[in-house]
């Protein structure tokens, strides 16, 4: 069994950081030049720029996929937590409160 613990709000924060990363990467691509004036090296620079843009697009897609999975983890974590809470409520329903006010 794992000792992994997710503090309240941490899963959402991780998901949001991945979404933000994807948006920043995609936004950077919008500022890339459409053409390059590098004299005789223009075609080589254009090819390099094309490869960088392709890799950046892949990286943004990875961030979006991780954000989706993290969102699913958060949903399942919350559902499990709620289920456990409901089960304890059913078990303790009708029991007198202890002297500590619980």
């Amino acid at each position: 069994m794992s000792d992994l613990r997710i503090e309240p709000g941490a899963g959402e924060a991780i998901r949001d950081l991945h979404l933000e990363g994807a948006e920043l990467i995609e936004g950077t691509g919008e500022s890339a030049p459409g053409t390059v004036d590098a004299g005789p090296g223009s075609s080589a620079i254009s090819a390099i720029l094309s490869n960088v843009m392709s890799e950046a697009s892949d990286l943004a897609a990875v961030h979006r996929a991780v954000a989706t999975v993290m969102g699913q983890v958060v949903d399942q974590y919350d559902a499990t937590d709620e289920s456990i809470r409901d089960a304890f409520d059913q078990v303790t329903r009708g029991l007198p409160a202890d002297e500590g006010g619980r």
Side-chain angles (χ1 to χ4, degrees):
M1 186 159 179
S2 172
D3 288 333
L4 176 66
R5 304 218 185 268
I6 300 176
E7 296 296 321
E12 291 91 344
I14 293 168
R15 179 200 58 217
D16 293 347
L17 285 171
H18 280 285
L19 286 174
E20 182 182 342
E23 290 169 4
L24 288 171
I25 291 167
E26 292 163 349
T28 301
E30 295 170 4
S31 66
T35 59
V36 177
D37 183 11
S42 291
S43 63
I45 298 297
S46 291
I48 291 169
L49 186 57
S50 177
N51 285 338
V52 168
M53 295 303 297
S54 176
E55 295 295 325
S57 178
D58 291 348
L59 183 58
V62 167
H63 277 290
R64 288 201 180 278
V66 170
T68 298
V69 170
M70 196 65 215
Q72 293 169 347
V73 167
V74 167
D75 291 345
Q76 291 176 4
Y77 189 87
D78 290 346
T80 299
D81 197 42
E82 185 175 332
S83 174
I84 292 169
R85 188 175 34 254
D86 290 347
F88 275 108
D89 286 348
Q90 289 177 4
V91 168
T92 60
R93 191 171 293 127
L95 294 178
D98 67 9
E99 293 176 24
R102 287 188 249 170

